[in-house]
């Protein structure tokens, strides 16, 4: 919508879009996505690619699989071998920091290997800051 005020053209639609985007970015939160067990990395990689290809990088910020490094133990002696491996802390779950919209919900929900968000089926519940 363009209006004329004392010889100056004002593009009000552009400012409204910018304000909506800023408002939406203020509402980013962490959500938990349920996946098939052992498919966490696949879901993470597929989701990253889908977000980039659909241009949703302004709405989906981080995608994390919670892992920690643990020593590899020898089967016979049960002593550390000096090698380490990554162990998944929450098998079957991926953490996503995003702005919840219908479009981001659809993208995350329809990734292969994803079974849905944790929470009620109508609208997922974001994690509180204490839980993160």
């Amino acid at each position: 919508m363009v209006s004329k005020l004392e010889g100056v053209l004002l593009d009000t639609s552009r400012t409204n879009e910018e304000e909506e985007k800023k408002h939406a970015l203020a509402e980013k939160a962490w959500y938990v996505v349920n996946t098939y067990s052992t498919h966490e990395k696949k879901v993470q990689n597929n989701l990253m690619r889908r977000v980039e290809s659909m241009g949703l990088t302004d709405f989906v910020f981080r995608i994390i699989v919670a892992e920690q490094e643990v020593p590899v133990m020898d089967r016979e002696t049960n002593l550390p071998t000096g090698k380490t491996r990554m162990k998944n802390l929450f098998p079957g779950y991926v953490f996503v920091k995003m702005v919840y919209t219908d479009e981001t919900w659809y993208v995350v929900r329809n990734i292969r290997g994803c079974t849905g968000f944790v929470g009620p089926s109508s609208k997922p519940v974001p994690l509180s800051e204490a839980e993160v």
Side-chain angles (χ1 to χ4, degrees), residues 32 34 116-126:
V32 182
N34 197 2
F117 284 94
V118 173
S121 61
S122 60
K123 184 177 178 184
V125 179

Side-chain angles (χ1 to χ4, degrees), residues 7-72:
V8 178
L9 291 176
L10 299 174
D11 188 0
T12 56
S13 62
R14 183 179 214 186
T15 56
N16 288 341
E17 289 174 4
E18 291 172 359
E19 288 176 14
E20 288 175 12
K21 189 174 181 180
K22 287 178 184 178
H23 178 68
L25 291 178
E27 297 175 8
K28 59 186 173 184
W30 285 100
Y31 294 91
V32 182
V33 178
N34 197 2
T35 65
Y36 296 131
S37 188
T38 70
H39 285 74
E40 297 89 0
K41 282 289 192 185
K42 292 176 189 175
V43 169
Q44 179 187 27
N45 293 333
N46 289 338
L47 186 54
M48 283 182 187
R49 276 192 250 120
R50 177 72 61 90
V51 165
E52 288 174 7
S53 69
M54 294 189 73
L56 294 174
T57 54
D58 292 337
F59 296 97
V60 179
F61 303 99
R62 291 184 70 188
I63 304 162
I64 296 176
V65 175
E67 296 178 319
Q68 87 179 42
E69 200 171 71
V70 295
V72 176

Side-chain angles (χ1 to χ4, degrees), residues 87-124:
K87 180 183 177 189
N88 195 342
L89 293 175
F90 302 103
Y93 296 101
V94 174
F95 299 91
V96 181
K97 187 171 190 175
M98 67 178 199
V99 175
Y100 180 81
T101 63
D102 289 338
E103 192 173 10
T104 57
W105 176 87
Y106 179 81
V107 168
V108 173
R109 177 66 184 88
N110 290 303
I111 292 292
R112 178 173 290 197
C114 173
T115 59
F117 284 94
V118 173
S121 61
S122 60
K123 184 177 178 184

